[in-house]
Amino acid sequence: MSNHDELPRPIADPVIEGAPLASEPAARPGPATAAAAAAASPASGAVAYEPLLAEFAREYLRDRRSERRWRLVFRLFWLLALVFAAWLLLYPPHLHRPSNNTPHTALVEVRGEIAADTEASAELILSALKDAFEDPGSQAVVLRINSPGGSPVQAGIVYDEIQRLKALHGKKVFAVVEEMCASGAYYIAAAADEIYVDKASVVGSIGVLMDGFGFTGLMGKLGVERRLLTAGENKGMLDPYSPVSPKQQAFAQAMLNQIHQQFIAVVREGRGKRLKETPEMFSGLFWNGEQAVKMGLADEFGNLDYVAREVVKAEEVIDYTPRENVAERLAKRFGAALGEGAVKAARGGLSMR
C-alpha cells in the first residue's frame, strides 16, 4: 500500500451536534459564543413568558367583569330597598282585617312602656280603640296587657277615652293580663268592666315615682364646679348637678302625692265594691294574679281565647292594634332616638313604674 492510501476511519458514536462528548470536558464558550447566547436569551424568555402574561390578562378581565356585575347587583338591591321603604311610608299596610260586619271580639294590645313615641303610646292605643268601637261587627273590646307602666299622662288619656267610648257605643271592655299589668298599665285596666289574669301574672304597683341622679359629691372630688344661671329661683329645680333644696323637694313630693291620689281615685272608681282595700294596696306593692283576684284588683282567671269564647261569645278575634312598618322602625332605631336613654337617665322623669 502506498502512503497515499488512507485507512478506513472508525465509525464514531452518534452525538448531538454542538454537545460535548461524555468523555471530553465541556469546552468553555469563547467570547463570540457568549455574546451570541446573550443576544438570543431575551427572545427565548419572551417566548416562554408570553402564555403566562396572556393568562394573567384573561384572569384580570374576568375579575373586573365579575366585580362590575356584583356592584350592579348591590346597587339594584339598595334601590329596591329604598323604593320598598318609600312605598311602606306612603301606603302603610292595613291596621286590621275588615270584619265585614261579622260578629267578632276586637283586640287592642297594650305592650311595653306606656309613653309617647312607643308602641303603647296614647296616640296609637286611642286610634285602635276608636276603630274597634266603631266597627259594627265588634261585640266587645279586649285590652290584652303586658306592660310595666309608664307615663301617668298617657295612661290618663287612655283611661278617659275608654270611658267616653264605652258610653258612646254601649260596648263592654275587658282587660286580659299576660305577664304584667303594673302601675300605669293598671291605671288603664281600671277602665275595663272586668279584668282577667293568669295565676302568675304580676298586678298592682299603684304608686308614682320621680327618679334621677345626683352628682354633687363626685363633682366636688373631681374639682368640677357647677355654674347654673336661672331667671326664677326654682327654674333649676331638681338639677342633678346642684344640691337638693328642701323647699323644692317638698314641692315635688306634694305633686307626686296629688298624682298618687288621682291614681287611687281611678282604681276605686273602676273597681267599685269589688275592691277589698288594705293599708298596703296603694303603697306601690304588686301581687301575683291569684292574690289580685282575692283582693278585688282582678275578677277571674282567663286568657284572650277564654274571654272571646265564654264571655264575649264571639270566638273570632280581630286585632285592631296599629303595627309599625319597617321604615318607621329603622328610622326610630337609627334616628333621633339614639341617645334618648342617656338623656332620660341624666334628666330623670315622672312615671308610674
Side-chain angles (χ1 to χ4, degrees):
M1 295 178 73
S2 66
N3 295 332
H4 299 286
D5 293 334
E6 295 180 355
L7 294 172
R9 296 179 179 176
I11 299 174
D13 292 334
V15 294
I16 298 173
E17 186 178 355
L21 293 175
S23 58
E24 296 181 3
R28 288 187 178 182
T33 308
S41 60
S44 61
V47 172
Y49 285 108
E50 189 174 288
L52 253 160
L53 290 172
E55 181 65 23
F56 176 78
R58 283 193 293 270
E59 289 293 332
Y60 177 76
L61 288 174
R62 273 198 293 268
D63 289 344
R64 293 288 293 174
R65 291 193 193 104
S66 176
E67 185 180 342
R68 282 198 298 270
R69 281 197 297 268
W70 279 110
R71 192 183 299 121
L72 288 173
V73 168
F74 280 118
R75 286 176 179 173
L76 181 62
F77 170 79
W78 284 112
L79 178 62
L80 291 174
L82 287 173
V83 171
F84 180 66
W87 179 80
L88 287 175
L89 284 173
L90 295 173
Y91 305 100
H94 294 297
L95 301 182
H96 61 85
R97 286 190 295 120
S99 69
N100 297 324
N101 296 333
T102 56
H104 64 272
T105 298
L107 171 65
V108 176
E109 301 269 13
V110 180
R111 289 188 176 274
E113 182 186 5
I114 301 168
D117 300 324
T118 67
E119 293 184 14
S121 67
E123 179 184 4
L124 293 179
I125 295 174
L126 263 55
S127 172
L129 286 170
K130 288 176 183 176
D131 289 343
F133 272 99
E134 290 172 0
D135 194 319
S138 65
Q139 306 301 296
V141 178
V142 173
L143 296 167
R144 183 160 63 180
I145 300 173
N146 186 12
S147 169
S151 164
V153 175
Q154 297 283 307
I157 292 171
V158 175
Y159 177 91
D160 293 341
E161 185 65 10
I162 291 174
Q163 299 288 43
R164 186 188 73 83
L165 291 171
K166 282 166 58 177
L168 180 63
H169 296 280
K171 295 180 181 180
K172 286 191 172 184
V173 175
F174 301 97
V176 173
V177 178
E178 290 191 329
E179 280 84 3
M180 182 175 292
C181 179
S183 206
Y186 190 79
Y187 194 117
I188 293 174
D193 294 282
E194 294 177 8
I195 299 175
Y196 290 81
V197 297
D198 184 83
K199 295 186 290 295
S201 298
V202 175
V203 181
S205 188
I206 301 171
V208 187
L209 65 84
M210 178 182 290
D211 58 354
F213 297 93
F215 299 100
T216 54
L218 178 62
M219 290 171 62
K221 291 180 180 179
L222 296 175
V224 179
E225 180 185 357
R226 171 65 164 166
R227 295 173 181 175
L228 177 65
L229 303 177
T230 63
E233 61 176 321
N234 294 310
K235 187 61 180 175
M237 178 176 170
L238 301 180
D239 174 57
Y241 304 102
S242 301
V244 177
S245 165
K247 179 183 175 182
Q248 293 174 351
Q249 188 174 15
F251 181 86
Q253 186 61 56
M255 182 182 66
L256 292 177
N257 293 339
Q258 289 176 343
I259 298 173
H260 190 204
Q261 289 303 314
Q262 294 169 8
F263 193 176
I264 294 171
V266 162
V267 174
R268 284 173 173 163
E269 179 186 5
R271 300 303 298 163
K273 295 180 179 179
R274 292 170 290 185
L275 205 61
K276 300 175 179 63
E277 290 192 26
T278 66
E280 300 296 329
M281 179 168 284
F282 305 123
S283 68
L285 288 177
F286 47 85
W287 297 271
N288 61 41
E290 188 173 0
Q291 292 171 306
V293 170
K294 292 177 181 178
M295 298 170 69
L297 293 170
D299 294 285
E300 293 182 36
F301 303 127
N303 56 25
L304 172 63
D305 292 337
Y306 171 82
V307 172
R309 183 179 64 252
E310 304 297 336
V311 182
V312 181
K313 306 296 184 184
E315 194 166 352
E316 183 185 6
V317 177
I318 294 180
D319 189 355
Y320 289 77
T321 311
R323 305 295 182 188
E324 283 186 331
N325 60 48
V326 176
E328 288 173 339
R329 281 202 301 270
L330 289 174
K332 284 186 177 180
R333 182 171 298 178
F334 299 109
L338 188 62
E340 185 180 357
V343 173
K344 281 186 177 180
R347 293 175 57 189
L350 178 64
S351 64
M352 290 177 171
R353 286 183 284 129

